[in-house]
Amino acid sequence: MRTNLITPEGLEKLKKELDYLWREYRPDITKKVAWAASLGDRSENADYKENKRLLRQIDSRVRFLRKRIDAVKVVHYAPAQDGRVFFGAWVVIEDEQGATRQFRIVGPDEIYGRTDYISIDAPMARALLKKEEGDEFSVSTPAGTKTWFVVSIHYGETPPENR
């Protein structure tokens, strides 16, 4: 089951996608469908068939986004979170060999297209919750249990080095 949490930035991104699909992309595809339909025989009209398929995909995504936007709960940063890992945190971790990773813990709707975001539903994120800098934690992986250390925690839209 997916968590219904989202950052303010994530919600804005979903709203922008919905607005683009509804106000720009869908009207453009609708015009193409109307043009292709005006050519006559639709049974062998590739333009018509392809654009109708696109229109169905757009409509499906628009329905999903409308429902999802209504269902999510926006989690805003609170100063009380400082020093501990909670939703929306940028976290730098280090493994036992000294390799580091940095990522932000976000809602499942926000991770697509980002390699520096992980879902709050991921085992790594669950293991990190409420940890402080210097804390050790373990995560079960297919290769076995791995131990990590929390190096730093930062809250904000951008990673610490991009501020």
Side-chain angles (χ1 to χ4, degrees), residues 45-110:
N45 188 332
D47 279 332
Y48 177 80
K49 288 180 179 181
E50 176 62 16
N51 287 303
K52 282 294 279 187
R53 183 186 67 76
L54 277 175
L55 205 51
R56 285 191 300 275
Q57 287 178 340
I58 293 166
D59 288 345
S60 175
R61 182 69 179 164
V62 164
R63 280 190 303 276
F64 170 80
L65 287 170
R66 285 182 174 157
K67 287 179 183 175
R68 193 69 185 144
I69 288 169
D70 287 342
V72 293
K73 179 183 179 207
V74 179
V75 177
H76 295 276
Y77 162 77
Q81 294 174 225
D82 283 341
R84 297 181 80 186
V85 178
F86 290 102
F87 186 86
W90 283 99
V91 184
V92 177
I93 59 173
E94 184 177 312
D95 67 12
E96 295 167 313
Q97 288 76 37
T100 61
R101 288 191 59 202
Q102 176 178 275
F103 48 81
R104 186 178 189 196
I105 300 173
V106 297
D109 298 292
E110 302 177 74

Side-chain angles (χ1 to χ4, degrees), residues 19 40 45 67 77 88 98 112 114 119 127 143 157:
D19 189 59
N45 188 332
K67 287 179 183 175
Y77 162 77
Y112 301 103
R114 299 286 305 246
S119 171
E157 292 181 38

Side-chain angles (χ1 to χ4, degrees), residues 129-149:
L129 289 178
K130 299 183 181 177
K131 297 291 187 268
E132 297 178 2
E133 289 182 9
D135 282 356
E136 180 180 303
F137 67 99
S138 297
V139 178
S140 294
T141 69
T145 301
K146 192 161 183 173
T147 301
W148 297 85
F149 304 92

